[in-house]
Amino acid sequence: MKASRSFASDNNAGVHPEVLEALSKVNQGHVVGYGDDPYTASATRHFRRHFGEDIEAFFVFNGTAANCLSLKLLTKSYEAVICAQAAHIYVDECGAPEKLTGCKLIPIATRQGKLTVEAVRHAYHGIGDQHHVQPRVISITQSTEVGTVYKPHEIKALAKFAHDREMFLHLDGARIANAAASLGVSLRQVTRDLGVDVLSFGGTKNGAMGAECVVIFDKALAVEFLYLRKQGMQLSSKMRFISAQFDALLTDDLWLRNAEHSNRMAKLLERELKKIPQIKIAYPVEANGVFAVIPRRAIHKIKQRYFFYMWDDQQSMVRWMCSFDTTEDDVREFAAFVGTAVSGR
Ligand SMILES: Cc1ncc(COP(=O)(O)O)c(C=O)c1O
């Protein structure tokens, strides 16, 4: 099969060669299973170097599980999670968060994929009323589902709102690397230092192959997680093959190199698309995704060569994502093809 690259999803990319090399290196001999191995200890040290010595890190297979188990840890079934209407937990997890936690998700309409304190305040009611679910978690996604990035003060304000009301702030960080790279800050500065309580740390979109991590910033809160992970069927017996991937991503700033590169490719794609008058960029391009409103008649033609997803069919809005392995030539060729397709040539 001929190798090709498209712009459908950062999940469509392969595995970064340095991650594959790390996997191959740990594929030697026998080590104890379920995380009691030196590679998991090493990856955990990396997380502690980034986030602080007093954190706990739990590796899981996918982002849905990282989110669901995080929310399970933080809630009881009569409580609720406030999130954006476009949140992955609300739209794209097949009801798994509701099933696992028993909680109601309260979706809030947003302008650019970001929750605000004002909007959350609106959804925060019925406290102490036995007829109402009790909001316990605010869950945000950074970078957001529409490729925007919360400014640090916006997250800080949400954390303060939550903590003032004995709530928690959960962060879906499937693309946290892209957000940190975009803001030019450390992983800790964009999460823990702003008041995030539990982080779903994404590896897969950053060059791993099914490696995600739940980072819990309060050790006392983390105690139950061991059991929840196993009960949630996310405890890997051959844990070293997840750990080794994080070891690679967190060594020599591979996470940052990958994120900076994919963000840069998205900016290039935005610049190229802006040269096409029939195309309107829908959201600020602040991470590795470009959302564009394009003439409907061009969609079929573009899809014949490049697979991608519609984001909003009604508005004829598409989502184009860049990855660690997207090249400048890929971007220019794609934009040129899109230009031809929309002009009807
Ligand atoms: C915002 C966000 N959160 C979480 C995930 C993780 O999903 P998965 O369970 O497919 O790893 C994704 C993947 O597309 C995502 O875009």
Side-chain angles (χ1 to χ4, degrees), residues 11 62-64 67 88 93 141 145 172 174-175 205:
N11 279 340
N62 64 39
T64 298
N67 287 339
H88 199 268
E93 298 188 358
T141 307
E145 284 79 0
D172 174 349
R175 298 186 183 88
K205 294 175 202 310

Side-chain angles (χ1 to χ4, degrees), residues 39-52 55 187 243 246-252:
Y39 308 112
T40 302
S42 168
T44 304
R45 275 197 300 277
H46 275 301
F47 274 94
R48 295 206 163 121
R49 181 168 58 77
H50 278 279
F51 291 105
I55 60 109
L187 291 168
S243 316
F246 282 117
D247 223 63
L249 287 180
L250 298 177
T251 296
D252 296 335

Side-chain angles (χ1 to χ4, degrees), residues 10-11 14-16 19 47 60-63 173-177 200-213 245-246 249 255 258 324:
D10 31 8
N11 279 340
V15 180
H16 192 280
V19 174
F47 274 94
V60 296
F61 300 113
N62 64 39
R175 298 186 183 88
I176 192 64
S200 302
F201 184 97
T204 309
K205 294 175 202 310
N206 190 236
M209 53 173 281
E212 310 283 310
C213 181
Q245 297 182 59
F246 282 117
L249 287 180
W255 68 272
N258 286 348
F324 69 85

Side-chain angles (χ1 to χ4, degrees), residues 26 31-48 55-60 212-213 226 229 235-247 250:
V26 301
V31 297
V32 177
Y34 300 106
D36 288 326
D37 63 84
Y39 308 112
T40 302
S42 168
T44 304
R45 275 197 300 277
H46 275 301
F47 274 94
R48 295 206 163 121
I55 60 109
E56 293 291 356
F58 298 91
F59 303 133
V60 296
E212 310 283 310
C213 181
L226 268 188
R229 177 175 62 177
L235 177 61
S236 173
S237 54
K238 294 191 178 180
M239 184 74 87
R240 66 174 133 158
F241 297 103
I242 298 186
S243 316
Q245 297 182 59
F246 282 117
D247 223 63
L250 298 177

